[in-house]
Amino acid sequence: MDREALALEMRGLREQVTGITDTAVAAADGLLIAADTADSIDPEGLAALAAAGLGLARRTVGATARGTLRRTVTYGSHGCAAFYAVGDTALMVVIGDEGMDVDGLHRATQPALDRIDTILSAPAEKAAEGV
């Protein structure tokens, strides 16, 4: 896996959407893959919570025959956290402040998710060749 390409995608999303404060990518089982978070956030804990929440959301979508889960957003009094499925094996968390443009985030995220899925799916030997 190309960790630099993954970091570039996460930084690029932050630069593209006003209000993003933190990002993380995790495996669907909750293991942290990469994080760009403030010191006040435990990235491993965030990855585990996001995986649990995304798993519950996937089951809810399935139980209600609503298709494939795309995202879930949790709103708090100081901003929100958006959780996106990255294929079937990973997820991305985007945390934003009160000023984050959530609609803009959703538009900007889909191409980034596709690229992140490609990065995560790259065979190990291809990643080693690029190093």
Side-chain angles (χ1 to χ4, degrees):
M1 172 182 48
D2 186 345
R3 292 198 181 273
E4 182 58 31
L6 189 56
L8 284 171
E9 286 299 332
M10 293 166 61
R11 278 193 305 270
L13 192 59
R14 184 183 280 211
E15 292 168 1
Q16 192 175 1
V17 179
T18 302
I20 293 177
T21 59
D22 308 273
T23 57
V25 174
D29 64 2
L31 294 176
L32 182 66
I33 296 171
D36 180 18
T37 58
D39 291 338
S40 61
I41 294 176
D42 169 22
E44 288 85 9
L46 176 62
L49 288 169
L54 200 66
L56 181 59
R58 276 191 170 129
R59 290 187 64 178
T60 302
V61 167
T64 58
R66 298 293 152 216
T68 303
L69 177 71
R70 293 185 287 178
R71 65 180 171 254
T72 183
V73 181
T74 302
Y75 293 90
S77 59
H78 298 293
C80 67
F83 307 92
Y84 296 89
V86 180
D88 292 329
T89 60
L91 60 97
M92 182 173 67
V93 181
V94 179
I95 300 173
D97 60 25
E98 302 93 348
M100 185 168 68
D101 176 7
V102 177
D103 290 333
L105 173 67
H106 296 328
R107 286 189 300 276
T109 301
Q110 192 54 56
L113 292 172
D114 292 340
R115 291 187 299 268
I116 289 169
D117 190 28
T118 299
I119 293 165
L120 296 176
S121 302
E125 59 272 3
K126 285 207 178 228
E129 291 172 9
V131 175

